Amino acid sequence: MSNYQAKNNAAEPEVAPKRRRKFWIASGVAGLTGVVSIAAVGISTGAGAVGTDGLRWSTAQQVSKDGDQGAVAPEEHKGKKDDRRDENKDDRRDDKREHGKEVPCDTDKLIQSIIFANENHGGVLNLAKGCTYKLTRSDTSDGSGPNGLPVITESVVLKGHDTKIVRDATGEDFRILNVGRGGNLTVKGLTIKGGQTSPFAVSPATAETPEAVWSRFSNSVEATKAAEAKQAYLPLLQATPKGIAVKAKATQANGDVSVLAEPESNDGAGVLVQPGGTASFEETHIVANQAGGVGGGLANFGKASLYHTTVADNTAFLYGGGIFNAGVLRVAASTVKNNDAIIGGGGIANGAAFIFRSDIDGGTAWIEKTEITSNEVLGFGGGLLDIEGNTTVKHSKIANNTAVLAGGGVAAAGDSSLELQHVEVIKNTTVGVGGGLALAFGAIASVEHSKIDENKAGFFGAGVFNFLGQATFRNSTINGNRAVGPLGVGGGIFTIGGEIDLEKTKVAYNFATLRPGGVFSLLTDVEVDDKSAITANKPTNCEGTITPIPNCFG
């Protein structure tokens, strides 16, 4: 019998949720410092609950039906016909499993169908066309947190046709789907909506803030504050990031900081994929979910793939407003838009860093033919963030994203490996540094056949900001970026330490309030080959830089 109780659901009116841009950030920060607890709700089985027996495929009826077909064969041919009948029965059973079980528009029956599939080596579930399965209760029996549907532990396919699975707005906090170890979930043609997990209660002394976390990788926040106060800011940019010392002190007090292998109960409001789990989504919408931890729409600690899928209007109180990854992630021909996070990765976050808890190393992320647009974050990595992971983006667009501190389009930090090929990083914005791309403290980037154009920053590096990172730009453009603040420097590139290589790359038509408008370098080994050009930048190309840049004039 099921531990779930859910009311039958009527079709939900198709009402597009209003975007509440910039609304939730203030309330979200307040929520982080408030006292919020997760209450486990015990659910008992009611008298009207549906048993799994009522939903079983009737193999006895199938065998009886098959056995009635055809006349009795002569003795000398009986064995062959029996063999054929056996083969036909096997084929029909396989066909039955392939075509799946029809699930009526009833939430209880959906739950029981998943339970039955888990108990019987998986199955294909055809969900009712145009139905909204509305979830009102949750289960916490497996210890992974409140889940609106049973944890997937076998190979389960959910096929929808304009079908929605939603958390009822008046229900308790819980995620929609959870894929456990050994589970393999395939989702086609569904909308997954309204999942919500509660943030953990934290004290002001242990609250993670975007500024504190970013200061582990760069002193840009301190430097911009010094510049605003008309104080010397370059010494701060050259110094060891002060957040490293804070993290070291926290580590000494709390023990060794190791990689977090297991998700928390408030991760993944729409979908959670646990270590050892696999999930794939096709022609699916993961929308309007809110996580108190990481991964508003999807938190992947196993393997996940998205194809022709939209991840939109999700929020996360920590990292990965749309998607968080610490496993193996593939996103193809999809859209990630209008998602929000507080610390990092408004659209997608591959990995996470903290001060008072264990870090989560990024996994491997492949992003192809995908648009990452109009996402926002209070911290860094408005569109995309990689922390100590491996991220490859090809034939994609990262546009119109916003970050307050750094990396309006893309941010990478720590031992991060970032590869961009045929990617447009355009029209992104930050109040701080790195409007298009921000690299910090050991990040390595390879950018080929790509555009980092028309991005804006309030301070340093409207196109590219680099602090102790390494970047190679081949056959690319860094054009039309604007460091528009009163102290804006390095409209094209602003780099402190590390290495920058320009190969067949054009840095042109960038603007900065203060010179240079093209490339500013301090203690950076900048290599410019004879097929690259730094030209037509204002007020200067490189004049005003501290460390000379070869093949740059004016």
Side-chain angles (χ1 to χ4, degrees):
M1 298 294 289
S2 168
N3 288 328
Y4 293 76
Q5 286 184 344
K7 299 182 184 296
N8 192 14
N9 37 270
E12 182 184 53
E14 185 62 40
V15 179
K18 294 182 179 179
R19 268 308 278 166
R20 295 175 292 166
R21 307 302 289 162
K22 302 178 178 63
F23 68 118
W24 61 274
I25 289 180
S27 61
V29 173
L32 284 177
T33 58
V35 178
V36 182
S37 63
I38 298 176
V41 179
I43 309 299
S44 60
T45 304
V50 180
T52 59
D53 290 340
L55 294 172
R56 293 183 185 274
W57 287 277
S58 180
T59 56
Q61 292 178 0
Q62 183 68 32
V63 171
S64 175
K65 182 179 179 181
D66 293 340
D68 289 340
Q69 296 178 356
V72 178
E75 191 67 28
E76 62 271 19
H77 299 297
K78 185 175 181 181
K80 294 181 180 179
K81 291 189 177 181
D82 286 345
D83 290 343
R84 285 198 297 270
R85 284 202 299 270
D86 290 340
E87 291 174 0
N88 288 338
K89 285 189 288 185
D90 290 340
D91 290 343
R92 286 171 182 153
R93 286 171 182 165
D94 290 341
D95 188 62
K96 184 78 172 178
R97 181 172 290 274
E98 180 181 348
H99 286 85
K101 171 68 180 176
E102 300 296 326
V103 181
C105 191
D106 184 294
T107 303
D108 286 330
K109 291 184 178 180
L110 171 60
I111 291 169
Q112 294 296 341
S113 295
I114 294 175
I115 292 172
F116 177 74
N118 280 335
E119 292 174 348
N120 289 271
H121 308 292
V124 178
L125 305 181
N126 292 318
L127 307 188
K129 182 177 181 179
C131 172
T132 296
Y133 294 91
K134 191 170 290 187
L135 308 176
T136 60
R137 298 285 189 234
S138 67
D139 178 72
T140 59
S141 59
D142 81 324
S144 62
N147 304 301
L149 291 172
V151 177
I152 305 297
T153 57
E154 293 288 341
S155 181
V156 175
V157 178
L158 299 179
K159 286 186 176 181
H161 306 276
D162 297 323
T163 307
K164 298 185 178 84
I165 302 177
V166 306
R167 168 187 160 274
D168 186 87
T170 62
E172 61 191 63
D173 290 349
F174 55 80
R175 70 172 60 89
I176 305 295
L177 283 164
N178 188 340
V179 184
R181 180 173 57 86
N184 188 337
L185 173 66
T186 300
V187 177
K188 296 182 179 179
L190 286 184
T191 294
I192 299 167
K193 179 181 177 182
Q196 183 166 318
T197 62
S198 300
F200 289 125
V202 294
S203 68
T206 60
E208 305 282 353
T209 65
E211 292 85 354
V213 176
W214 181 247
S215 71
R216 287 182 53 189
F217 305 105
S218 168
N219 287 334
S220 67
V221 174
E222 293 78 8
T224 56
K225 290 180 179 179
E228 285 184 308
K230 298 182 179 181
Q231 299 173 353
Y233 62 85
L234 287 178
L236 290 171
L237 289 173
Q238 297 177 66
T240 301
K242 73 171 189 177
I244 292 178
V246 177
K247 178 65 174 180
K249 184 177 180 181
T251 300
Q252 186 176 11
N254 300 322
D256 185 38
V257 175
S258 60
V259 175
L260 182 65
E262 297 291 334
E264 300 283 357
S265 62
N266 60 352
D267 294 337
V271 184
L272 171 66
V273 182
Q274 299 185 43
T278 302
S280 62
F281 304 87
E282 184 175 346
E283 297 177 353
T284 291
H285 301 276
I286 303 174
V287 297
N289 303 282
Q290 179 173 299
V294 302
L298 166 67
N300 175 50
F301 290 78
K303 295 180 180 179
S305 62
L306 294 81
Y307 182 68
H308 282 301
T309 287
T310 297
V311 181
D313 301 301
N314 302 285
T315 64
F317 276 71
L318 299 178
Y319 289 87
I323 301 172
F324 177 83
N325 180 59
V328 178
L329 173 71
R330 186 181 184 112
V331 183
S334 294
T335 301
V336 181
K337 65 180 181 180
N338 294 338
N339 302 285
D340 305 279
I342 287 182
I343 297 183
I348 301 175
N350 187 27
F354 299 95
I355 297 294
F356 299 105
R357 58 176 279 193
S358 300
D359 290 348
I360 308 174
D361 286 352
T364 299
W366 292 81
I367 302 169
E368 301 174 281
K369 298 179 181 178
T370 290
E371 291 190 358
I372 303 173
T373 61
S374 303
N375 303 283
E376 296 183 0
V377 68
L378 265 180
F380 39 94
L384 173 65
L385 169 68
D386 187 288
I387 294 182
E388 300 192 4
N390 293 276
T391 297
T392 299
V393 186
K394 296 183 177 181
H395 300 282
S396 297
K397 179 183 287 188
I398 303 173
N400 298 303
N401 302 285
T402 302
V404 174
L405 298 184
V410 181
D415 295 329
S416 169
S417 178
L418 176 69
E419 183 177 349
L420 306 179
Q421 294 185 16
H422 299 278
V423 176
E424 294 183 3
V425 182
I426 60 174
K427 298 182 180 179
N428 302 285
T429 303
T430 181
V431 177
V433 301
L437 171 64
L439 304 175
F441 208 71
I444 299 175
S446 175
V447 182
E448 298 186 16
H449 298 283
S450 295
K451 296 180 180 180
I452 302 180
D453 296 352
E454 300 181 66
N455 302 284
K456 293 182 181 180
F459 286 90
F460 315 131
V464 178
F465 173 84
N466 174 56
F467 173 75
L468 295 178
Q470 301 177 42
T472 299
F473 299 89
R474 293 191 182 98
N475 298 292
S476 296
T477 64
I478 304 172
N479 291 350
N481 302 284
R482 298 172 59 83
V484 295
L487 300 171
V489 178
I493 300 173
F494 184 102
T495 177
I496 303 286
E499 299 178 9
I500 298 287
D501 294 333
L502 303 180
E503 301 177 12
K504 297 181 181 179
T505 291
K506 187 176 182 181
V507 182
Y509 305 105
N510 300 287
F511 170 82
T513 306
L514 304 176
R515 62 179 190 167
V519 180
F520 173 89
S521 172
L522 174 61
L523 302 175
T524 302
D525 183 9
V526 178
E527 297 292 336
V528 183
D529 71 2
D530 56 7
K531 294 184 178 180
S532 295
I534 304 174
T535 183
N537 300 283
K538 295 181 179 180
T540 64
N541 290 317
C542 296
E543 184 181 343
T545 187
I546 294 179
T547 300
I549 298 171
N551 295 329
C552 184
F553 308 96

